[in-house]
Amino acid sequence: MTVCLKKWLVLSVSASLSACVVGPDYVRPDAHVSGEFKEVAGWKAAQPLDNVLPTNWWEVFHDARLNALEEQVASANQTILQAQAQYHQAQHLVQSAQSAFFPLINLTGTANRFHAASGQSAAIPGVRNLFGSATAVAWEPDIWGSVSRKVESNTATAQASMATWQALLLSLQATLAQNYVQIKVLDSQKNLLDETAKAYNKTLTIIQHRYAVGMVSKSDVMQAQTQLETIRAQAINLGVQRAKLEHAIAVLIGKTPAEWSLAASSLDIAVPDIPVSLPSQLLERRPDIAAAERKMAAANAQIGVAKAAYYPSLNLAATNGFQTTDISSLFTLARRYWALGPAGAALTIFDGGAKNAQYKQAIDLFDASVAGYRQTVLTGFQEVEDNVAALRILAQAQETQTKAVNYANQTLTLTMNQYQAGTVSYLNVTAAQTALLSNQQVALQLQGEQLLSSVLLIKALGGGWHDSLIPSPDGAAGDTKWTDYLILPLE
């Protein structure tokens, strides 16, 4: 059965039978949206101004290895595959709810062989056979819209499930990008420490020569050796954190840590220009906000389901069949019988307050979902503001830190010349070397923080997602084939 035919059947049946759909119709609650982002003031926006991030948002970093890794998350990450399966499950729940629009048809066949008890009046004495076949139809019209509201709720839940899947995908892609950047920062830090160790080793050689001719004391040699081994230990220690990050990336792309490794490389990624859309557009571009909004719609429909339970239910039934003592004449007109009914209406007049409690619970669930939606919106704005501010401030700090590195480098050169001239002690050289290394490490850290904040800002803006990607109410149930209406599953 095509999607169009299925849609026509569902709409025609529900429209003709739902005389009164009870419960409130869904109206999207308002959420507080500011006119502009506060922290954008003074921040350099992307040029040319483009308010739409690309779907493959990680490509703004222009790193081929990162691109290849990100593409594997959607297809190989087990958490994403789990969320995808949960979305398909939600689609099938929509189909299950829609099935209640249609009557239930049962086909039965019976065969009996029995002996009437002695003393009873029987047309045919002794052992008797009785064969029968019947088709029974049972149907509960959706008079008060309970089924319609259930379909509406399940549809919104399926749409929320799809948005949740996309929100999780965005989160894991952002996590991978962060881990990747952190590995490159660690590689650059190790490279810095290795280069510093080489410089310290040269200094140690000079001091050893000076000590050999009696120009310096043994303490200068010991200080230089201590400083060199300390730097070597720091470089080795970075391997622990790098290994953990590498293992985390392997799991994100669906591999065991033993199956994947990342070669060391420098921090050669530039901080990208990121287009920041208008605050009002944030509601359309974050999948977590879309998921929270669809959960509200589902909760609103559940109010109608709970309210419909107050009203009487109507059940209709009909049976058509054949019955005979001779199986060869079973399907003849003379052996046919039929029955209309039983038809019944049921109305609960006392349930100890159960229906009232369920109705109020549905209202409370909707109120809670509204609060959750509004909180998700507020959190979204906070995340954008946090990372825009971070990028602006970190850019200023990086500029100042670059100057500090230059001054520290000049200071070390002057101090080393003074030490070789014998005008200052080696403690001055040690202090200058430590200051230079510390400033170089801070500069690397600031560069890494800028890149991490860029990833987080992209995530806060929703990546390249848009709520138009959420399936329509018709598409939320998935594609149904005619074989899905058979009693046995056919793949």
Side-chain angles (χ1 to χ4, degrees):
M1 180 178 293
T2 64
V3 175
C4 292
L5 181 56
K6 169 192 162 187
K7 176 181 176 183
W8 180 85
L9 283 173
V10 171
L11 290 178
S12 61
V13 173
S14 60
S16 61
L17 300 177
S18 296
C20 179
V21 179
V22 299
D25 291 329
Y26 175 69
V27 177
R28 180 172 178 168
D30 294 331
H32 183 66
V33 179
S34 56
E36 60 184 11
F37 291 112
K38 179 182 72 172
E39 298 294 345
V40 168
W43 183 69
K44 183 181 179 181
Q47 297 293 334
L49 187 60
D50 183 0
N51 289 331
V52 179
L53 284 162
T55 301
N56 296 340
W57 55 264
W58 50 86
E59 294 178 354
V60 301
F61 293 99
H62 303 292
D63 189 294
R65 288 198 301 179
L66 177 61
N67 294 346
L69 291 171
E70 291 287 4
E71 291 171 357
Q72 297 179 60
V73 177
S75 60
N77 183 271
Q78 297 304 309
T79 303
I80 294 302
L81 295 178
Q82 180 185 30
Q84 186 177 3
Q86 290 170 341
Y87 167 58
H88 294 320
Q89 179 187 20
Q91 287 183 307
H92 295 140
L93 287 175
V94 177
Q95 297 176 15
S96 178
Q98 290 175 341
S99 68
F101 284 124
F102 301 96
L104 180 65
I105 303 175
N106 287 319
L107 177 63
T108 60
T110 60
N112 294 282
R113 183 175 176 82
F114 59 93
H115 186 280
S118 60
Q120 290 186 348
S121 175
I124 303 176
V127 178
R128 302 175 59 191
N129 295 321
L130 184 62
F131 302 97
S133 176
T135 301
V137 180
W139 180 43
E140 182 180 351
D142 186 27
I143 298 176
W144 312 112
S146 175
V147 176
S148 299
R149 290 302 190 192
K150 184 65 176 177
V151 171
E152 181 183 339
S153 177
N154 285 12
T155 297
T157 299
Q159 292 171 320
S161 178
M162 191 274 186
T164 300
W165 163 28
Q166 295 301 307
L168 181 60
L169 177 60
L170 174 61
S171 178
L172 293 183
Q173 288 170 335
T175 299
L176 188 148
Q178 289 176 278
N179 291 345
Y180 182 81
V181 168
Q182 286 178 298
I183 284 181
K184 292 181 76 69
V185 171
L186 290 174
D187 288 343
S188 296
Q189 288 178 340
K190 187 178 185 305
N191 183 63
L192 172 62
L193 292 173
D194 290 341
E195 293 298 319
T196 302
K198 291 180 182 178
Y200 285 5
N201 191 51
K202 291 180 180 179
T203 302
L204 175 61
T205 301
I206 294 173
I207 294 174
Q208 287 174 332
H209 291 162
R210 292 168 65 87
Y211 171 71
V213 297
M215 296 181 63
V216 297
S217 65
K218 181 67 173 180
S219 62
D220 286 1
V221 177
M222 299 304 295
Q223 288 176 4
Q225 288 179 329
T226 300
Q227 197 171 26
L228 174 59
E229 296 305 322
T230 300
I231 292 301
R232 286 173 174 171
Q234 291 179 11
I236 294 173
N237 187 52
L238 293 176
V240 176
Q241 187 177 356
R242 190 191 192 281
K244 291 181 178 179
L245 291 169
E246 192 176 72
H247 300 163
I249 290 179
V251 173
L252 283 170
I253 60 175
K255 300 180 182 296
T256 63
E259 295 179 283
W260 184 84
S261 61
L262 183 66
S265 61
S266 61
L267 188 58
D268 53 359
I269 303 177
V271 178
D273 291 331
I274 302 173
V276 178
S277 58
L278 298 174
S280 59
Q281 295 177 332
L282 191 66
L283 304 184
E284 303 170 351
R285 300 195 178 279
R286 282 184 59 125
D288 59 336
I289 292 178
E293 188 274 330
R294 288 290 80 199
K295 289 177 182 177
M296 280 192 303
N300 181 82
Q302 284 296 329
I303 297 176
V305 174
K307 190 172 184 180
Y310 284 108
Y311 298 91
S313 61
L314 176 63
N315 292 279
L316 304 176
T319 304
N320 181 60
F322 301 87
Q323 195 172 67
T324 182
T325 58
D326 182 7
I327 192 170
S328 62
S329 62
L330 178 61
F331 296 106
T332 61
L333 189 60
R335 306 305 182 189
R336 179 176 177 267
Y337 73 92
W338 59 268
L340 293 178
L347 175 64
T348 303
I349 59 174
F350 181 77
D351 63 359
K355 286 185 173 57
N356 277 330
Q358 292 168 359
Y359 180 63
K360 292 176 181 178
Q361 286 172 20
I363 295 175
D364 294 337
L365 178 62
F366 175 73
D367 291 341
S369 65
V370 171
Y373 165 72
R374 288 172 174 164
Q375 182 60 41
T376 302
V377 173
L378 290 174
T379 300
F381 283 114
Q382 178 188 354
E383 290 173 353
V384 174
E385 298 280 17
D386 286 349
N387 290 289
V388 168
L391 281 172
R392 188 188 72 247
I393 296 170
L394 287 170
Q396 297 171 354
Q398 180 69 24
E399 183 179 353
T400 302
Q401 188 61 36
T402 300
K403 296 177 181 179
V405 170
N406 292 333
Y407 289 133
N409 193 34
Q410 295 174 24
T411 300
L412 175 59
T413 300
L414 293 173
T415 304
M416 193 64 187
N417 292 335
Q418 291 172 343
Y419 172 71
Q420 291 178 341
T423 58
V424 297
S425 69
Y426 190 70
L427 288 175
N428 296 78
V429 176
T430 301
Q433 288 175 328
T434 302
L436 174 59
L437 177 60
S438 176
N439 280 285
Q440 289 173 325
Q441 288 176 320
V442 171
L444 273 176
Q445 182 181 356
L446 287 173
Q447 185 180 357
E449 289 180 359
Q450 283 181 286
L451 290 169
L452 292 176
S453 295
S454 297
V455 174
L456 291 175
L457 177 57
I458 292 172
K459 176 187 174 185
L461 293 170
W465 193 84
H466 193 275
D467 63 4
S468 61
L469 298 174
I470 293 180
S472 65
D474 295 334
D479 186 15
T480 304
K481 302 177 183 178
W482 69 268
T483 53
D484 294 330
Y485 289 88
L486 298 178
I487 199 62
L488 294 176
L490 295 178
E491 296 296 337

